Amino acid sequence: VMDIQHPVEVDHKAFAENENLYATLFLGNKAFFVTFRQVDPFHAFYIDDDGNAQARSEFEVSGWNDFFKPVMNDSRLVGIGMNDQTMAVSLYDITDLDNSNPLVARVEVDASNSWSEARWDDKAFSVLQDAVAVQNSAGKVETGMVLLPFSGWDEQRGTYMAAVQIFTFSDSSLTRRGVMEHGTWVRRSFQPEDGLTANLSEDSLSLFDSTTPDSPRELGRVELAPNYMDFLVYGQYGARLKYNRDYYYWWWGPSMDMPVNQLQIVDLDDPDTADPVAVVDLQSDAQVYKVGDLAVAVSMKWVERSENEYGYDTTIDVFDLSDPVHPVHTGTLRTDRLNPYYYWYGGPGIDDCFDCGWGYYWYGSQGAKTVGQTLVFPELKTESELIGVEHVCSTYVDDSVESCWENDDGSTTCVMYSGGITCTSMDGGPEECSGSIQKCTTDEYMWHDWECVDIDPDDVSTTTTCYDYERRNYWSHFALNVLNLEDPRSPDLLPIIDTPREQRAVGMLADGTDLYMSYNIPVDVPGDTRDYARYYFSRVDLSTPSNPVVHSGINIPGDLIAVQDHGHAVFTRDYIWDDEHLESAVNKLQVQNGVATLLARVRFHDRMVNQTLLDGAGHLLVSHRLSWYAQEAHDTDWNDLYETLSVFDSRGDELSQISQVEVDDWAWLKDARVGRAMYQVPGGILVLNLDDAANPFAQAFFSTLGWPQTMVLAGDDMIIPAGKYGIYRFDLNEFNLLDVDSDH
């Protein structure tokens, strides 16, 4: 290259047509390439000093190499790659470019179906020279060493493993040696000093004495990213749930014991890095709930009870944390009654309203709710009813392949028939048809510009198929499993509370010693074929845990979203829609003697109410945004879609609006307390100041990694467990944003 700004091609050689290029190495006047399609060709080239390239040899072997490392004064190559389905190391002799069989040896790791970060990152593995001096089975002394991270299936133990395989090599041999088990995917394996091997994953750093490569010895390890999944507050202390199970827990075979979880008691001043003052070991998948001064650990395991019969076995351990520094295990309950709780939240539950609010699936292994001295495990029981037998006939064109011909004027015409017609009838009633058969024409120069018109299906050859199927309506209703914790030494599951099957589950919230279930019941409106439902809520009084009282349902407009004054006032959300409009509404109702009376209603035209919270200071916070329906109808730009917070007086009968402020795009109202509203936004947490509810403003932004799911308020602090990113602690009185419209 005489002028680096204007390189000129000297030579060009094409090879390995229709194959992918993998390992590539330029070494002095030599060049080596690996390509792959079904076999692994190893290509050797010679490049003279003038830049002319000459293909010298091609050797085919199974699998492929992703990287080459030259060793032994550039006389050998170590290749890292795959031998079909397993990670392997290859040793090549490159002293003679015309050698038709340069492969000295290829040896796989000691696991099947393995993979490695070394497939795409050449820093993941290490190739070391003069690192050891050991004999192979033939007495040959091997001085080179390869450290290859891998993850794969251990046939002997029946589980997946994550480890580093040690290989040693000489100029004529390659030997698989011992394995350094790490537990999670190793991203780097290297030697900081002779005989000491360091293996690094996203979770931990392990150190091994590798001077005897057949039997490496672990010297120690340090955890780098403990996985904190939850945080609970007990007085002046916090309890962080350390989830020790790897994300890829499905690796573990049935014969392997999963690592235990831990509940670590720490000082609230440093919830992330403080050494725990007490540790409680839990089962591997346990989740923990706070019930007063108790920590209730719940572990569910999927088991085979008999042939083709499966279910969950649950272990519940209760710990007394009234003195957090000295946790006391008080009792254990084992049961097969409980099931995980999958729950759809949001939306009115009516099929014909596509954009009535929005919802999401929320799932916890248990999904329990703390209610007074109880822990309630909700369950959704699926029901169905036959709507009728639908007869369906579908008609399709037999041959939709286009045909073309030349016209008298020399032009070309192409014709294609397409489309289909589907006709349905319910229980022998009137038939309804949709779709059409079309004839489409174009010319060869405008191939994608088809002009299509509907035609009579009898004008073209078609095939009709018919079938019958039962149309059913599906829904779920609540069943409640109540764990009585009045005596923590004897936790007890009460008889199941099963709600009537016609009560279709909508939502659930807890308030003190009361649990509120929101549900609807479909109703028919004479002369109207649309779907309608009447909404209710039912209060379950658990003030006496051993004797739950389920009160009769109370009719309300929409689903229950908040409770005030011990249930004497409630707030609901519902929807109004037609073919061209959508709006949501928030309602306040007074509840007396089993009757809810509407006091106030606020309507949000063309908007979705996403979240609502009471802030404890007499305000109802309503977070809403333009609906997708309206966005499409008005062709609104995505950049103009913002979440909006409206603040209402929740104590009066009018639900009068105090203020309204735009927040951010993709904002989610996570929590609220007196004077503050906390939004999760891309990149972190946005805190709005509501000290003066008439003039809210953005007070602070706290950067976070990932999308933390839990937010805990402790005094003036916001504590967020963020999994492997640690635990964040932010001061809610910090001001780090400038509001240009105020004096703050």
Side-chain angles (χ1 to χ4, degrees):
V1 179
M2 302 301 293
D3 182 358
I4 197 171
Q5 299 296 328
H6 302 88
V8 177
E9 181 180 304
V10 176
D11 197 4
H12 174 88
K13 289 291 186 296
F15 63 100
E17 183 179 356
N18 296 323
E19 295 183 3
N20 293 322
L21 181 64
Y22 286 82
T24 300
L25 179 67
F26 293 91
L27 191 63
N29 291 97
K30 302 175 182 179
F32 305 94
F33 309 98
V34 168
T35 59
F36 181 79
R37 187 172 184 183
Q38 292 180 328
V39 294
D40 173 11
F42 175 90
H43 304 270
F45 282 78
Y46 179 77
I47 305 174
D48 65 24
D49 293 341
D50 294 326
N52 299 303
Q54 179 185 6
R56 298 291 288 270
S57 66
E58 179 179 325
F59 169 69
E60 291 188 354
V61 67
S62 62
W64 67 89
N65 290 287
D66 294 287
F67 295 106
F68 286 137
K69 294 290 184 181
V71 294
M72 297 184 172
N73 296 319
D74 297 345
S75 67
R76 301 291 186 270
L77 288 184
V78 171
I80 304 296
M82 296 288 291
N83 188 22
D84 294 329
Q85 299 299 316
T86 304
M87 291 298 300
V89 174
S90 302
L91 180 66
Y92 296 92
D93 182 349
I94 57 171
T95 54
D96 180 5
L97 293 184
D98 295 318
N99 184 0
S100 62
N101 187 4
L103 182 66
V104 175
R106 171 174 284 181
V107 182
E108 300 175 350
V109 301
D110 191 13
S112 59
N113 296 311
S114 58
W115 64 97
S116 171
E117 186 136 340
R119 288 286 325 281
W120 56 86
D121 185 352
D122 66 341
K123 294 181 176 61
F125 63 94
S126 292
V127 177
L128 309 170
Q129 300 189 76
D130 300 322
V132 71
V134 292
Q135 291 185 343
N136 64 10
S137 59
K140 178 74 172 181
V141 176
E142 298 177 333
T143 59
M145 178 181 286
V146 178
L147 305 173
L148 178 58
F150 73 94
S151 299
W153 181 255
D154 186 330
E155 297 283 357
Q156 294 182 344
R157 294 184 297 172
T159 182
Y160 279 98
M161 63 186 301
V164 174
Q165 183 79 62
I166 301 176
F167 299 85
T168 57
F169 63 90
S170 68
D171 60 352
S172 60
S173 63
L174 174 66
T175 304
R176 182 176 67 202
R177 302 290 183 171
V179 168
M180 296 176 286
E181 290 206 38
H182 190 79
T184 52
W185 293 0
V186 176
R187 304 195 65 180
R188 296 286 187 274
S189 183
F190 57 96
Q191 284 199 342
E193 60 182 57
D194 291 344
L196 178 65
T197 296
N199 301 317
L200 179 66
S201 69
E202 292 184 352
D203 299 86
S204 61
L205 172 70
S206 62
L207 297 177
F208 283 80
D209 179 351
S210 54
T211 53
T212 305
D214 284 316
S215 53
R217 179 172 57 91
E218 183 172 344
L219 302 175
R221 65 176 59 213
V222 60
E223 193 171 26
L224 302 176
N227 187 17
Y228 296 131
M229 297 296 289
D230 206 350
F231 193 85
L232 309 170
V233 176
Y234 293 87
Q236 298 302 309
Y237 292 90
R240 62 192 185 201
L241 177 60
K242 184 171 179 287
Y243 216 65
N244 286 329
R245 186 174 70 177
D246 185 76
Y247 285 140
Y248 304 95
Y249 63 89
W250 48 266
W251 283 20
W252 299 75
S255 62
M256 299 296 293
D257 293 328
M258 298 282 287
V260 298
N261 287 352
Q262 288 183 331
L263 195 64
Q264 300 179 341
I265 310 303
V266 295
D267 193 293
L268 283 177
D269 290 336
D270 185 11
D272 183 34
T273 62
D275 292 331
V277 297
V279 174
V280 177
D281 285 337
L282 309 172
Q283 296 205 37
S284 63
D285 59 348
Q287 293 186 8
V288 182
Y289 299 89
K290 184 179 187 299
V291 183
D293 289 333
L294 303 178
V296 184
V298 183
S299 172
M300 288 184 178
K301 298 186 184 298
W302 179 251
V303 296
E304 183 177 8
R305 306 199 191 283
S306 60
E307 187 175 358
N308 296 324
E309 182 180 352
Y310 298 86
Y312 287 92
D313 284 349
T314 302
T315 300
I316 300 174
D317 287 300
V318 182
F319 300 89
D320 184 351
L321 267 68
S322 54
D323 180 4
V325 179
H326 300 97
V328 177
H329 180 253
T330 61
T332 298
L333 173 68
R334 293 181 175 85
T335 179
D336 62 0
R337 269 178 47 181
L338 303 180
N339 292 297
Y341 180 48
Y342 300 87
Y343 180 47
W344 170 259
Y345 180 82
I350 297 178
D351 295 338
D352 289 346
C353 183
F354 168 74
D355 194 26
C356 295
W358 72 284
Y360 61 95
Y361 276 107
W362 179 89
Y363 165 68
S365 294
Q366 294 83 41
K369 287 189 174 294
T370 298
V371 187
Q373 291 179 286
T374 73
L375 193 60
V376 180
F377 296 86
E379 183 178 343
L380 290 176
K381 290 192 171 181
T382 302
E383 304 286 350
S384 69
E385 63 181 4
L386 180 65
I387 299 175
V389 177
E390 189 171 42
H391 183 67
V392 182
C393 290
S394 298
T395 301
Y396 298 99
V397 176
D398 284 339
D399 186 6
S400 62
V401 178
E402 64 276 357
S403 58
C404 301
W405 60 88
E406 185 175 341
N407 301 310
D408 293 339
D409 59 1
S411 63
T412 299
T413 299
C414 296
V415 173
M416 177 177 67
Y417 296 93
S418 65
I421 299 174
T422 300
C423 298
T424 63
S425 61
M426 183 70 71
D427 294 332
E431 187 177 64
E432 295 184 1
C433 298
S434 61
S436 64
I437 303 295
Q438 295 185 323
K439 178 181 179 180
C440 303
T441 59
T442 187
D443 62 70
E444 62 177 344
Y445 302 109
M446 297 292 290
W447 193 253
H448 299 290
D449 187 18
W450 293 92
E451 294 183 0
C452 300
V453 296
D454 292 346
I455 63 172
D456 190 324
D458 294 335
D459 293 344
V460 66
S461 176
T462 60
T463 297
T464 299
T465 59
C466 299
Y467 60 91
D468 295 330
Y469 80 96
E470 292 185 347
R471 285 193 60 185
R472 306 190 71 85
N473 189 13
Y474 293 90
W475 72 95
S476 299
H477 66 97
F478 286 121
L480 305 179
N481 291 279
V482 180
L483 178 67
N484 183 1
L485 294 165
E486 282 181 294
D487 183 359
R489 298 167 300 177
S490 301
D492 180 39
L493 274 175
L494 303 181
I496 193 168
I497 300 174
D498 202 355
T499 62
R501 69 186 299 270
E502 66 271 11
Q503 296 182 1
R504 305 187 177 198
V506 174
M508 184 178 293
L509 58 89
D511 182 62
T513 60
D514 291 324
L515 180 71
Y516 293 84
M517 297 182 293
S518 183
Y519 60 91
N520 67 52
I521 299 175
V523 294
D524 293 325
V525 175
D528 196 329
T529 60
R530 292 177 295 179
D531 293 328
Y532 286 86
R534 185 171 286 123
Y535 281 72
Y536 299 83
F537 78 85
S538 179
R539 180 171 67 92
V540 183
D541 182 354
L542 290 165
S543 57
T544 305
S546 59
N547 185 31
V549 178
V550 182
H551 291 268
S552 299
I554 297 176
N555 187 206
I556 53 175
D559 57 307
L560 188 69
I561 54 176
V563 175
Q564 187 174 267
D565 298 333
H566 305 290
H568 294 297
V570 298
F571 300 87
T572 69
R573 172 184 56 184
D574 66 352
Y575 306 86
I576 303 171
W577 73 97
D578 57 27
D579 291 339
E580 297 181 356
H581 303 90
L582 165 73
E583 70 177 45
S584 48
V586 173
N587 311 294
K588 181 177 181 180
L589 301 102
Q590 182 180 32
V591 180
Q592 287 183 333
N593 301 321
V595 176
T597 303
L598 182 65
L599 298 178
R601 179 179 181 86
V602 179
R603 300 170 69 168
F604 296 84
H605 180 66
D606 278 345
R607 302 190 70 81
M608 301 182 295
V609 170
N610 291 328
Q611 302 94 37
T612 56
L613 288 174
L614 294 171
D615 69 350
H619 305 129
L620 177 68
L621 310 183
V622 180
S623 190
H624 53 95
R625 67 184 292 134
L626 190 68
S627 69
W628 306 114
Y629 191 110
Q631 178 207 350
E632 293 292 334
H634 302 298
D635 195 24
T636 305
D637 191 284
W638 278 83
N639 295 324
D640 296 331
L641 294 179
Y642 288 93
E643 193 76 12
T644 299
L645 175 65
S646 296
V647 182
F648 296 90
D649 180 1
S650 66
R651 291 175 177 168
D653 294 345
E654 302 297 327
L655 268 185
S656 56
Q657 181 171 307
I658 301 173
S659 61
Q660 182 166 291
V661 61
E662 284 189 345
V663 182
D664 196 2
D665 191 14
W666 299 109
W668 177 268
L669 181 60
K670 291 286 290 186
D671 211 337
R673 55 163 290 177
V674 175
R676 302 290 185 271
M678 283 70 76
Y679 271 89
Q680 187 165 30
V681 297
I685 303 296
L686 179 66
V687 179
L688 299 186
N689 186 290
L690 298 173
D691 286 335
D692 178 4
N695 295 288
F697 63 91
Q699 167 189 317
F701 174 78
F702 300 109
S703 178
T704 62
L705 295 173
W707 286 89
Q709 298 300 306
T710 302
M711 181 182 294
V712 180
L713 302 181
D716 291 329
D717 289 334
M718 172 175 57
I719 300 175
I720 301 174
K724 291 183 180 293
Y725 296 112
I727 295 179
Y728 295 102
R729 173 174 166 263
F730 302 121
D731 184 354
L732 288 174
N733 291 324
E734 179 178 334
F735 290 74
N736 61 26
L737 294 178
L738 177 65
D739 187 346
V740 297
D741 295 324
S742 73
D743 296 330
H744 299 282

